[in-house]
Amino acid sequence: MSIAGDLIRGHTDAIILARLTGGDSYGYEIGKAVTRLSGGRLELKEATLYTAFRRLESAGYVASYWGGEASGARRRYYTITPEGRAEHRRLLAEWRDTKSILDKLLEGSP
């Protein structure tokens, strides 16, 4: 069973920033990591990824550069900026708060 797109929408930026906290990467690699780490239940479409990269770069949360020529494939790599690290921490705190509220509402906790 895959995860519904509307459940993930709004968290794409947080997912990408989280992946970049581990080091620079390129879109295809991030997409594959998301699929692998979700056990195949979540797939970020190429258009979704690259739209998010443009948005994150415009906001100053990531920077990009060309690399990979040594392997023969020229790729656009993304790196998280200090502002992006701060945004990742903010989004993670927001997610944890939201998750806590939803857990209470959906699981019937007092």
Side-chain angles (χ1 to χ4, degrees), residues 69-91:
E69 288 87 4
S71 66
R74 190 166 181 230
R75 297 181 177 117
R76 186 176 201 111
Y77 282 81
Y78 295 89
T79 187
I80 191 167
T81 64
E83 295 83 3
R85 289 186 186 281
E87 179 66 358
H88 172 253
R89 286 189 298 273
R90 187 191 72 74
L91 290 171

Side-chain angles (χ1 to χ4, degrees), residues 19-62:
R19 300 299 346 127
L20 290 174
T21 61
D24 296 1
S25 191
Y26 54 96
Y28 180 80
E29 186 175 56
I30 289 175
K32 287 299 175 189
V34 167
T35 301
R36 180 178 46 79
L37 291 169
S38 70
R41 296 179 61 206
L42 175 61
E43 181 181 330
L44 293 178
K45 303 286 186 205
E46 188 174 319
T48 300
L49 273 172
Y50 289 101
T51 299
F53 283 131
R54 283 192 298 278
R55 182 176 52 251
L56 291 167
E57 194 164 21
S58 290
Y61 299 145
V62 300

Side-chain angles (χ1 to χ4, degrees), residues 7 98-109:
L7 288 174
T98 301
K99 182 182 176 308
S100 173
I101 292 167
L102 286 173
D103 284 345
K104 289 176 187 172
L105 293 172
L106 295 175
E107 295 176 4
S109 299

